[in-house]
Amino acid sequence: MSKSKILIGIIAIAFISYFLISKDFDKNSDTLYINGNFITLNETLENAEAIFVEKGKIKDIGTTNELEKYRKGNTVVDLKGATVLPGFIDSHSHVALSAFLNDMIDLSGFKHKTNAEVWNHLKEQIKTKKEGEWVICKGIDPILVEGLKTPNIAFLDEISPNNPILLVSQSMHTYWVNSNTFKKVNITKDTPNPSKSSYYEKDKNGELTGLIAEQEAFSPILNQLKRDVLTSKFLINSTVSTLNKYAKNGNTTVVSAGITINDDKPLLLYKHLSSEKSGFINQALATFGLLPKREQNPRHFLYIRHDRSFLLPETKANDDFYNIIGVKHWYDGSPYTGSMYLESPYLTTEFNKNKLHIPEDSSGKALIEEDSLVNFIKKYDKKGWQIAIHSQGDLSSRKVINAFKKANSEVNITEKRHRIEHCLLLSKNSLSEMKTLNMTPSFHINHLFYYGKALSNEIIGKERAERILPILTAEKLDIKYSMHADQPMFESKPFHLIQTAIKRQTKENDTLGYNERISLLNGLKAMTTNAAWQINMEDKIGSLAKGKYADFIIIDKNPFKTSIDSLHQIKVIKTFINGNEVK
C-alpha cells in the first residue's frame, strides 16, 4: 500500500473519530407548534395559539393561522388545545446538596408520621448494612414529625454500634452523629469549635452530645464522606438524575445559591451537562465513559460561597446556559436552630428548649460583623459580581440592608440587583429601603406551609407569624421578587409554591398573613419573568416572546381554569429547553 493511501486512511480515521466524539445529543428540528393555549406572560401578547421555534429560539408567535406560513419543510406539532407556559426558574436551589442527599435513607415527615415510625425505619435500614459501612440519613425534623425525639449520641451508639452514622436535619443546618463517626474523623470533646455559631454540642459534663451545628463544624465529616462514599461515579450519576428531576417538575433554569465544593471538578461537570455545547475534551471523556453522555438539561447558574471565592473566575462569562453569576454570604441562620437573628427573642416554650435547643431569651445572632459585610459587598460589587445574602430574621435583614446602604455611600451598588435570600421576617421599612437600593428578595414560601403552625404557636408567636413572608407588600412597592423551595430542603415544585402564596395556608389549613395573598398571575410571574430579571436574563428567558429561547412546558391543565386548591396537582407533561425536549 502506498504512503499516500496510508496517509489518506489515517486522515479519514481521524476525521471520523473527531466527528463521532464531537457529535452531541440529537436536537429538535425547527418546529411549528399549533392549536395550543400559550400563556406567554409577555405583556405585549398575553395569549397565543402557536409558536415557531427555529434553532432553539422563538422566531414567531401568534395565532395558528398567522403561523401557517412556517408549515412547509418544518416539523409540525398539533397541541390539540394543551396549555403551555414559560419554563419555571428555580431562583434559589442547591444542586450539589440535592445530588448528595439523593440516595440517603429518608427519615422525613413526608415518609413517616410518628416518632416510632422514624426510628423503627432507621433500625431496619441499619440491619441491611455491613459492619463499618456508613449509615446516612436525611430529613430529621421535630416539626414535620410531631412528637419526634431528637437523638443523642447514646441512642445512636446503641442502635448503630458497628457503623458510623450521620443524620441530616430537614433544614440542613443541624446534624447528628454517633461515636463511630466522631472517631472516624478524629473529633473529640477537646476539638475546638470552628466558630461561636458552628460547633460540636457538649453536655454539662463537657461530653459530646452528637449534635453538630452548621456547615463549618460539619466539614470534616463531609470531607470523610467524599473519600468513603461520595465517589466521582456516584456524584456524576446523582447529578444527572437530580437535574432531570428539576426539569420534570417544570424547571428549565436552576440557580445554585451558594455551592459547597472544594475544587472546580463539579463545576466542570455542571458546565458539561448544561452548556449549549460541550468542549471536545469533555465529549471525548464522555465517549470513553469518564463523563456522562449529554442530554438536554436545565440551564444552571451559580452563586459561589464567600469562603470558596477561589472558584470565582476573573470575570463573568457570556454564557446563557451555564454561568457563575455571583457570590453568596450568610448573615444569620435558621429559624429552627435558634440562629435566625431577631429584633425580639424567640418564645420561651418547651418546644424551643427541648426540641430546637434554643436558649431562653435568645434572639439569635449575626454570623459576621456588619463592617465585615460592608467590606464584602464593596469588594465583590467592584469586581462586577451580583451578591446574595442569606437572611431570615427581621433584625438580620435590617442589618444587611444597612450594610448595603453603607456600601452604596462609597460605591454605586444599585446596578447589580443584589439579593436577600429567604426573607422570613422583612418589615415594610426594610422593603422600602431595598427598593431604593434596587435590591430584590427571594421568598422561601414553604416556611409558611410546612412550619407556619410551629412558628405561630411555638417558635416566634402569632403576632410575628402573621407578618412572615410579606410578598404582597413587596409587590405593592413595585419590587420584583421570586419564590423558592430551597431544594433539597423541599422538592422544587413550582405550582405548590404558587398555591401557598395565593392561599397563605399552612398544611394544617390555618391562615397566616391573609392580607399578603397574591394573585395567580403574579405567582406565575414570580417563578418566571421576575426570576429571570433577578439573574439578569429577562431579555432571554422567563416569558414566551419573539427572540427569546424556547424554554417552555406543556401541562395537563390550564391554571386559570383550575381551582386554587388543586394547583399543586397540575402535572408537567413535557419540558422543552432551547427548543429540545427533556427526555
Side-chain angles (χ1 to χ4, degrees):
M1 186 181 292
S2 67
K3 290 182 179 180
S4 61
K5 289 183 178 180
I6 292 173
L7 180 60
I8 291 171
I10 292 173
I11 292 172
I13 291 170
F15 178 80
I16 292 169
S17 298
Y18 180 84
F19 174 78
L20 291 174
I21 290 173
S22 300
K23 190 176 187 304
D24 208 355
F25 63 88
D26 291 334
K27 311 291 176 70
N28 279 19
S29 59
D30 296 343
T31 303
L32 172 63
Y33 296 88
I34 60 173
N35 298 323
N37 172 36
F38 289 86
I39 301 171
T40 69
L41 300 181
N42 170 10
E43 292 182 0
T44 60
L45 180 67
E46 294 181 357
N47 294 92
E49 296 175 339
I51 60 169
F52 177 56
V53 177
E54 182 180 69
K55 297 179 180 177
K57 291 187 176 181
I58 299 172
K59 183 173 181 178
D60 208 349
I61 184 167
T63 67
T64 296
N65 287 337
E66 289 170 341
L67 270 62
E68 277 292 324
K69 59 188 176 183
Y70 298 108
R71 178 182 287 272
K72 187 176 181 181
N74 294 306
T75 302
V76 179
V77 174
D78 188 343
L79 294 171
K80 299 179 180 178
T83 296
V84 181
L85 280 172
F88 290 115
I89 299 169
D90 186 333
S91 58
H92 181 117
S93 204
H94 301 278
V95 171
L97 274 173
S98 297
F100 166 60
L101 294 171
N102 196 40
D103 290 331
M104 285 188 181
I105 298 166
D106 191 346
L107 301 180
S108 73
F110 303 111
K111 298 285 186 179
H112 312 283
K113 300 304 179 187
T114 67
N115 179 73
E117 284 184 30
V118 169
W119 301 124
N120 288 338
H121 181 67
L122 175 56
K123 291 172 185 177
E124 290 301 314
Q125 291 297 308
I126 291 171
K127 292 177 183 178
T128 69
K129 303 293 183 180
K130 298 176 183 177
E131 184 172 335
E133 186 179 356
W134 275 95
V135 180
I136 309 173
C137 312
K138 63 183 177 182
I140 293 293
D141 193 327
I143 298 175
L144 294 184
V145 180
E146 194 168 342
L148 180 69
K149 296 179 180 178
T150 51
N152 58 34
I153 198 167
F155 173 73
L156 295 177
D157 285 347
E158 178 186 347
I159 65 172
S160 185
N162 302 314
N163 300 76
I165 190 168
L166 165 67
L167 277 59
V168 181
S169 68
Q170 186 73 28
S171 71
M172 299 176 295
H173 286 264
T174 310
Y175 312 85
W176 294 267
V177 301
N178 65 354
S179 296
N180 289 328
T181 300
F182 277 135
K183 184 177 180 180
K184 200 170 185 65
V185 296
N186 298 315
I187 291 174
T188 70
K189 64 181 180 181
D190 299 317
T191 300
N193 292 324
S195 68
K196 291 182 180 179
S197 58
S198 186
Y199 54 85
Y200 307 105
E201 185 185 66
K202 299 178 180 68
D203 62 20
K204 62 183 179 181
N205 298 317
E207 300 294 332
L208 294 166
T209 68
L211 184 147
I212 299 171
E214 298 294 350
Q215 295 288 323
E216 289 177 280
F218 177 62
S219 289
I221 295 166
L222 178 59
N223 292 334
Q224 186 67 42
L225 286 171
K226 289 178 179 177
R227 291 188 287 270
D228 295 351
V229 180
L230 304 176
T231 63
S232 294
K233 183 177 180 181
F234 170 87
L235 289 174
I236 286 172
N237 291 339
S238 187
T239 300
V240 170
S241 173
T242 295
L243 286 172
N244 186 260
K245 287 177 183 176
Y246 277 108
K248 295 298 185 181
N249 280 333
N251 296 293
T252 54
T253 297
V254 180
V255 179
S256 282
I259 184 168
T260 303
I261 55 175
N262 294 323
D263 56 49
D264 66 353
K265 290 178 183 177
L267 301 181
L268 298 174
L269 173 64
Y270 300 153
K271 186 173 184 179
H272 170 69
L273 292 173
S274 290
S275 287
E276 184 176 18
K277 296 178 181 178
S278 189
F280 178 77
I281 293 175
N282 282 350
Q283 287 289 71
L285 292 172
T287 300
F288 295 107
L290 299 176
L291 279 176
K293 293 284 188 180
R294 276 167 47 86
E295 298 288 347
Q296 184 63 65
N297 283 304
R299 301 171 196 273
H300 191 183
F301 302 112
L302 301 95
Y303 294 87
I304 299 297
R305 285 175 60 105
H306 66 100
D307 53 0
R308 303 292 193 276
S309 59
F310 58 87
L311 295 171
L312 283 170
E314 286 298 317
T315 57
K316 181 180 172 182
N318 184 24
D319 191 329
D320 295 341
F321 293 81
Y322 163 85
N323 211 348
I324 294 172
I325 61 174
V327 60
K328 182 186 176 185
H329 213 316
W330 283 253
Y331 197 72
D332 70 350
S334 167
Y336 317 113
T337 62
S339 53
M340 174 172 67
Y341 193 21
L342 296 167
E343 299 274 7
S344 301
Y346 285 87
L347 293 183
T348 300
T349 62
E350 288 298 311
F351 183 86
N352 279 347
K353 180 181 177 181
N354 297 322
K355 297 290 187 181
L356 302 185
H357 303 277
I358 299 173
E360 192 170 338
D361 294 325
S362 173
S363 298
K365 54 190 173 185
L367 301 182
I368 57 170
E369 297 294 331
E370 189 176 338
D371 288 345
S372 297
L373 181 58
V374 173
N375 291 332
F376 171 84
I377 293 167
K378 290 190 296 185
K379 176 181 177 180
Y380 287 102
D381 183 273
K382 285 180 181 178
K383 290 185 176 183
W385 295 111
Q386 188 183 28
I387 298 164
I389 306 294
H390 169 117
S391 180
Q392 299 271 23
D394 45 7
L395 183 53
S396 174
S397 292
R398 183 160 63 81
K399 294 281 189 181
V400 168
I401 294 164
N402 194 53
F404 276 99
K405 284 171 65 179
K406 288 182 178 179
N408 193 52
S409 67
E410 299 179 41
V411 183
N412 179 12
I413 60 101
T414 62
E415 297 176 355
K416 304 294 191 308
R417 304 176 184 177
H418 298 309
R419 299 171 46 154
I420 297 183
E421 308 301 307
H422 304 321
C423 307
L424 182 67
L425 287 166
L426 193 59
S427 71
K428 184 175 182 179
N429 286 341
S430 291
L431 281 165
S432 296
E433 291 182 329
M434 287 181 69
K435 173 66 176 177
T436 301
L437 295 166
N438 198 32
M439 295 178 67
T440 175
S442 187
F443 291 102
H444 188 345
I445 190 66
N446 274 338
H447 278 306
L448 192 157
F449 183 80
Y450 290 105
Y451 298 125
K453 179 180 177 181
L455 286 165
S456 181
N457 296 348
E458 304 284 356
I459 302 174
I460 59 174
K462 185 168 179 57
E463 188 275 328
R464 279 185 289 186
E466 286 288 341
R467 294 190 279 110
I468 65 172
L469 303 161
I471 300 178
L472 186 61
T473 298
E475 194 174 294
K476 288 179 177 178
L477 290 169
D478 197 28
I479 295 173
K480 291 189 185 297
Y481 61 88
S482 64
M483 301 185 296
H484 62 266
D486 202 19
Q487 184 174 319
M489 187 175 182
F490 300 103
E491 188 175 356
S492 181
K493 293 187 173 182
F495 285 112
H496 186 278
L497 302 181
I498 293 167
Q499 178 174 318
T500 299
I502 296 169
K503 292 189 67 179
R504 299 285 302 198
Q505 286 188 343
T506 69
K507 61 185 177 65
E508 296 85 9
N509 295 320
D510 298 324
T511 300
L512 284 176
Y514 181 84
N515 292 328
E516 291 291 347
R517 293 169 303 146
I518 63 171
S519 69
L520 170 58
L521 177 61
N522 287 330
L524 290 169
K525 287 181 177 179
M527 308 292 295
T528 53
T529 56
N530 287 5
W533 181 89
Q534 281 188 330
I535 57 174
N536 291 279
M537 288 284 288
E538 70 272 20
D539 293 334
K540 298 176 179 180
I541 58 175
S543 65
L544 302 178
K546 288 182 184 180
K548 288 193 174 185
Y549 286 107
D551 291 9
F552 60 91
I553 57 174
I554 302 173
I555 54 180
D556 69 339
K557 297 173 185 174
N558 181 345
F560 289 97
K561 295 183 179 179
T562 301
S563 71
I564 299 302
D565 289 337
S566 301
L567 285 177
H568 70 285
Q569 296 175 348
I570 293 176
K571 290 182 173 58
V572 177
I573 300 170
K574 291 184 178 182
T575 301
F576 293 82
I577 301 166
N578 195 33
N580 301 310
E581 183 181 350
V582 176
K583 303 298 185 181

